[in-house]
Amino acid sequence: MNTTFLARAVLTIGILAACASGPVAADEELAPIGIAQVDITPEQPVRMYGYASRIKESAGVAGPLRAKALAIGGNEGEGPAVLLCVDNGAVPAEIRDEVFNRVTAKVPVKRERFMLANAHCHSGPNLKGMDSFSGEQLEHMKAYARLVVDRLEAVVLEALAARRPGRLAWGQGRVGFAANRRVLKDGKWAGFGAVPDAPTDHSLPVLRITDEAGKLLAVVVNYACHCTTLRGDFPQIHGDWAGCAQQYIEADHPGAVALISIGCGADSDPAPHSTVELCQQHGRALADEVKRVLQTPLQPVEPRLTTRAVTLDFPYSPPPSLETLKESANQSWAIESMVKRIARGDLLAKSEPYEIAVWAFGDDLAMVFLNDEVVVDYALRLKRELDGSRLWITAYTNDVSHYIASDRLLKEGGYEVRNSLSTTVTFGRPEELQPSMEERIISAVQELVPQEFHRQ
């Protein structure tokens, strides 16, 4: 297990001068901070995430997968907060819950202060698809799931054990390789591509973690783009642009750990795409921007953390006939899954939960955490209606089961809408969900975000 711990503070001018980041203000507050990382690359062939054409297991490893944990705060008061970033397609909620339960049996951590951020790399293992496998493929995936649970538990506990005095500061950069992928014709979805001037979020928030002496220990970075540089014909395990970016950032800043989460990029793909070399190109561009941001004066972040969370409950509409469902099943994997469950005699859920959490660091920074594959309109709207200069939005958090489509996408239709949570709970009639998914989620976030972050 490859684990990196916080180094003890070394109070020398020489180390301060060698620090590969901008100046650290003397009045930045100290807080217990711990960092750890672990390799989670599969040790045998496994089925890979995404792309329905894939029916074979992986054929080797082209790049490593890692999980990294950041622990902030002591055990007193509200206790520590943990951000766990995982290079995987999607860690299922049941695995997330098992890891959380194991950790909290040893160290108290409140549920709203434990966030698992999926990188959603499509060349990672398909833990979400285990119930559709059988035979040797299922056994391989079960073995990998056991490895993941054990190592995620270990890396979180190691980060908690590694807590030492450190400081937080943040800034924002900009990277341009994400492109909206929704091609429209006469205002309706017509397929996938790279659409110039369509909605995207190119912001690159960077959280810097330094030790008491000012040495760079870690950076957390967020970018709103699918990890889909590598397509369905790529047969090997790889962390895509996010994996490459982590490697480059860590090479640029020896001894530091890079954690990457994904913003509201469900309708954005990397452009161009298709090769490992392009993963490296995008990762290098992101790492270069991180290097630039770290060399600028950053905003100190007060470590006093307030957390709020809510679980919305979306009840299912009355289902149509099975014949009606079958007619649309070939257009939606969400509906297709329902048809299969009905055919097996399974009871359908009465509602779907949706988790939202907000971490507010004093009045310096508010982090919003959203479940599932959230399209860019949510981030753009929240940044307009709240104080976008102090807002950090992470999607793909805790569970990834559906797209979260916006009102704009509902009018345009297409792939993300057909496979959205809106479509699931209405059995294929997302326009009938009122208030809309967008209005419900935006309203909930606005209620959770402290008033200090609302536009005055």
Side-chain angles (χ1 to χ4, degrees):
M1 186 179 297
N2 179 17
T3 307
T4 301
F5 297 100
L6 288 175
R8 293 184 180 274
V10 182
L11 301 175
T12 68
I13 296 175
I15 285 186
L16 282 170
C19 184
S21 64
V24 177
D27 60 350
E28 292 179 18
E29 292 189 46
L30 291 168
I33 302 174
I35 304 154
Q37 64 175 320
V38 66
D39 187 274
I40 56 167
T41 309
E43 298 173 350
Q44 59 189 348
V46 292
R47 283 286 292 271
M48 296 166 69
Y49 186 85
Y51 304 123
S53 60
R54 283 176 169 161
I55 57 173
K56 296 182 179 179
E57 294 184 313
S58 56
V61 175
L65 304 180
R66 291 180 289 174
K68 302 174 181 181
L70 168 66
I72 302 172
N75 292 343
E76 67 283 352
E78 293 296 304
V82 174
L83 175 63
L84 176 59
C85 295
V86 184
D87 293 342
N88 212 304
V91 175
E94 55 269 24
I95 288 182
R96 181 273 315 262
D97 291 343
E98 183 174 354
V99 172
F100 175 75
N101 291 336
R102 287 191 186 187
V103 168
T104 54
K106 300 177 177 72
V107 180
V109 181
K110 292 188 175 182
R111 182 66 195 85
E112 67 271 17
R113 298 170 83 90
F114 184 93
M115 295 293 128
L116 190 156
N118 293 281
H120 198 56
C121 50
H122 281 47
S123 292
N126 189 12
L127 286 166
K128 288 288 290 189
M130 287 177 60
D131 59 354
S132 63
F133 304 151
S134 60
E136 188 177 54
Q137 289 189 352
L138 178 59
E139 293 307 310
H140 287 171
M141 194 55 73
K142 284 182 176 179
Y144 181 68
R146 290 191 294 270
L147 177 149
V148 166
V149 170
D150 290 344
R151 294 193 180 178
L152 293 187
E153 175 196 5
V155 77
V156 173
L157 291 174
E158 287 166 357
L160 288 164
R163 284 172 289 173
R164 301 290 186 274
R167 294 184 173 91
L168 305 173
W170 87 296
Q172 293 208 59
R174 189 172 179 83
V175 179
F177 62 80
N180 194 292
R181 68 188 191 179
R182 290 175 53 83
V183 177
L184 303 180
K185 183 177 181 181
D186 298 326
K188 296 295 183 181
W189 185 83
F192 291 127
V195 185
D197 301 322
T200 51
D201 183 2
H202 291 309
S203 63
L204 187 77
V206 178
L207 181 68
R208 181 188 69 188
I209 299 98
T210 54
D211 70 7
E212 193 170 4
K215 181 182 178 182
L216 181 67
L217 297 172
V219 292
V220 184
V221 185
N222 182 278
Y223 190 54
C225 183
H226 256 110
C227 277
T228 51
T229 313
L230 300 171
R231 315 306 278 185
D233 58 352
F234 187 80
Q236 295 177 291
I237 297 295
H238 193 277
D240 212 272
W241 64 260
C244 290
Q246 292 172 63
Q247 292 176 313
Y248 288 133
I249 292 169
E250 292 171 356
D252 291 342
H253 308 280
V257 177
L259 299 85
I260 290 184
S261 60
I262 310 299
C264 297
D267 51 342
S268 295
D269 278 347
H273 54 69
S274 292
T275 65
V276 170
E277 290 73 23
L278 288 171
C279 291
Q280 295 167 344
Q281 175 182 308
H282 300 323
R284 184 68 262 172
L286 190 147
D288 286 344
E289 182 65 353
V290 169
K291 184 190 300 184
R292 186 196 68 79
V293 171
L294 289 177
Q295 292 170 349
T296 66
L298 300 183
Q299 169 65 41
V301 172
E302 183 181 343
R304 177 177 56 87
L305 179 60
T306 301
T307 57
R308 300 174 178 177
V310 67
T311 298
L312 304 180
D313 193 55
F314 293 100
Y316 278 81
S317 301
S321 67
L322 182 58
E323 290 70 25
T324 300
L325 281 176
K326 287 180 177 179
E327 290 174 3
S328 57
N330 64 341
Q331 295 292 316
S332 168
W333 46 257
I335 302 299
E336 181 183 13
S337 175
M338 287 184 185
V339 170
K340 290 180 179 179
R341 294 203 299 272
I342 292 171
R344 292 197 301 262
D346 296 346
L347 292 175
L348 295 180
K350 293 182 179 180
S351 62
E352 287 286 341
Y354 188 81
E355 298 178 45
I356 303 171
V358 172
W359 290 5
F361 295 86
D363 60 2
D364 297 320
L365 176 64
M367 288 184 167
V368 177
F369 297 95
L370 302 173
N371 278 22
D372 292 328
E373 301 193 52
V374 186
V375 301
V376 71
D377 296 314
Y378 286 80
L380 298 179
R381 180 173 170 184
L382 285 169
K383 290 179 181 181
R384 287 194 309 269
E385 297 182 4
L386 299 171
D387 185 350
S389 68
R390 295 180 291 156
L391 200 60
W392 177 313
I393 305 171
T394 300
Y396 302 94
T397 305
N398 293 325
D399 194 17
V400 181
S401 295
H402 307 88
Y403 283 94
I404 304 299
S406 62
D407 293 346
R408 172 180 65 90
L409 265 67
L410 292 185
K411 295 175 183 176
E412 298 169 353
Y415 177 78
E416 295 89 352
V417 175
R418 292 196 302 263
N419 297 298
S420 67
L421 180 55
S422 306
T423 289
T424 301
V425 299
T426 61
F427 294 96
R429 299 162 290 186
E431 66 284 349
E432 294 185 5
L433 184 65
Q434 296 298 327
S436 68
M437 189 70 64
E438 177 177 332
E439 290 303 322
R440 297 184 193 205
I441 291 175
I442 293 291
S443 295
V445 172
Q446 290 174 334
E447 290 182 9
L448 292 175
V449 171
Q451 283 298 313
E452 294 90 334
F453 296 94
H454 287 241
R455 293 193 182 276
Q456 303 302 319

